[in-house]
Amino acid sequence: LSTIVSDDEIVKNEIGGVYWPVWNVNGIGNMVPGKGYQIKMNNSATLFYPSNTANVAKANFSKPLLQEYNSFLYSGENMTLGIPLSAWEIRPENGDEIGVFNQNEELIGASVFDGQNMAIAIWGDDFSTKEISENISENQEFTIKIWNKINTTENRININSWLEGNNLYSKDAISIVSKLSFENKTTLLQNTPNPFSDFTEIPFYISFILLPNFIFDKDTTHEKYYCCYCSRCCCYQRFCFLRWWR
C-alpha cells in the first residue's frame, strides 16, 4: 500500500484487521494475493501491486491473542472503533483486553492492549441473513469494558468525549475516542478467617484513585482497631486488605 498511503484513510481485511496510517496502526501486516480488502480513500489513486519477483520488505506484524474476550461472531459486517493512546486517563497494562458489548451485554468485538493506538472491529448484523439478528443492529448503542489480566477482573469504561463519531453502531463507520476513564468499582471478597476470634482480613479491590496507601484508625465507640493496606495490582485498581481486631 506504499504507493497510495497518502491517499487512503483506512484499510480493512475480512476479519476486521485494520491498516490505519494516520494512527500508525497496522493490524493486517502485508497484503496477501488472493485476499480481499476494503479501502476508504481520501483521494483517487492507483495502487501498483509489486510482482511476485519483487523484493518487498515484510511488515512488522504480530497480533496478541485474546484470552478472555475471544468469543464473538465474525458476521462479515463491521465498523471500526479507534482508541488513541492519548485517550487513556490511566493507561492499561500490556495484555489487558478491551471488549465491546451490545445492549444485551453480548461481546461483539475485542482487542488486546499492547501500549499502542488501538483499532477494534465491532461486528454488526449480517444483512444477508435477514431471518437472524446478530451482534448489533444499525444505530444501537455499544459499551466498552476492560479485562485486567493480572487480577482477572472486569471494569466498565466511560467515554467522556469523541474525536469522531459516537457509541452508535453503523456499518463501515469510524468512531474515535478522545477521552475515556474507568468506572469507579469496588469488589468485596470473602473475609478470612471466618468465623474469627482475634482478627480477620477482608480483601477487596478499589479504584486506584480513591484510596491512599495506608490507613490506620481507631473506632473509639467500640474500642476496636483497624488498618487498611494496599498494593497496586494494576494501573487502575488496588488490591487491599482491611484487617480488623476485636
Side-chain angles (χ1 to χ4, degrees), residues 23 83-91 113 115-118 163 176-180:
W23 293 109
I83 306 180
L85 200 59
S86 59
W88 298 99
E89 181 182 50
I90 303 173
R91 289 185 187 178
F113 181 78
Q116 306 296 324
N117 297 329
M118 299 185 70
L163 281 174
I176 305 174
V177 177
S178 175
K179 291 296 179 183
L180 52 78

Side-chain angles (χ1 to χ4, degrees), residues 67-69 92-97 146-156 182 185-187 189 203-208 231-240:
Q67 299 179 33
E68 181 69 15
Y69 293 153
E93 304 285 351
N94 285 1
D96 288 355
E97 299 180 14
I146 183 169
W147 179 79
N148 177 257
K149 69 169 186 175
I150 297 177
N151 58 40
T152 64
T153 58
E154 185 178 65
N155 204 2
R156 190 175 296 275
F182 298 110
K185 181 179 179 181
T186 300
T187 304
L189 306 176
F204 60 95
Y205 290 104
I206 193 168
S207 173
F208 182 72
S231 61
R232 178 171 173 159
C233 65
C234 62
C235 62
Y236 58 92
Q237 279 189 322
R238 287 179 177 175
F239 182 63
C240 305

Side-chain angles (χ1 to χ4, degrees), residues 9-40:
E9 180 175 351
I10 193 169
V11 182
K12 300 193 294 186
N13 63 13
E14 77 281 5
I15 59 171
V18 168
Y19 173 61
W20 207 348
V22 70
W23 293 109
N24 196 31
V25 171
N26 185 0
I28 62 175
N30 289 88
M31 298 184 76
V32 178
K35 293 284 187 179
Y37 299 88
Q38 188 175 2
I39 305 178
K40 182 179 181 181

Side-chain angles (χ1 to χ4, degrees), residues 87-154:
W88 298 99
E89 181 182 50
I90 303 173
R91 289 185 187 178
E93 304 285 351
N94 285 1
D96 288 355
E97 299 180 14
I98 314 301
V100 183
F101 295 81
N102 63 18
Q103 294 174 330
N104 297 322
E105 295 294 318
E106 298 168 332
L107 184 66
I108 54 176
S111 187
V112 179
F113 181 78
D114 63 356
Q116 306 296 324
N117 297 329
M118 299 185 70
I120 304 174
I122 302 176
W123 295 95
D125 189 18
D126 185 352
F127 292 109
S128 66
T129 57
K130 297 184 181 298
E131 69 281 2
I132 303 174
S133 180
E134 301 142 325
N135 293 328
I136 189 171
S137 300
E138 289 287 310
N139 295 316
Q140 286 188 340
E141 291 187 0
F142 58 83
T143 57
I144 309 172
K145 298 179 183 179
I146 183 169
W147 179 79
N148 177 257
K149 69 169 186 175
I150 297 177
N151 58 40
T152 64
T153 58
E154 185 178 65

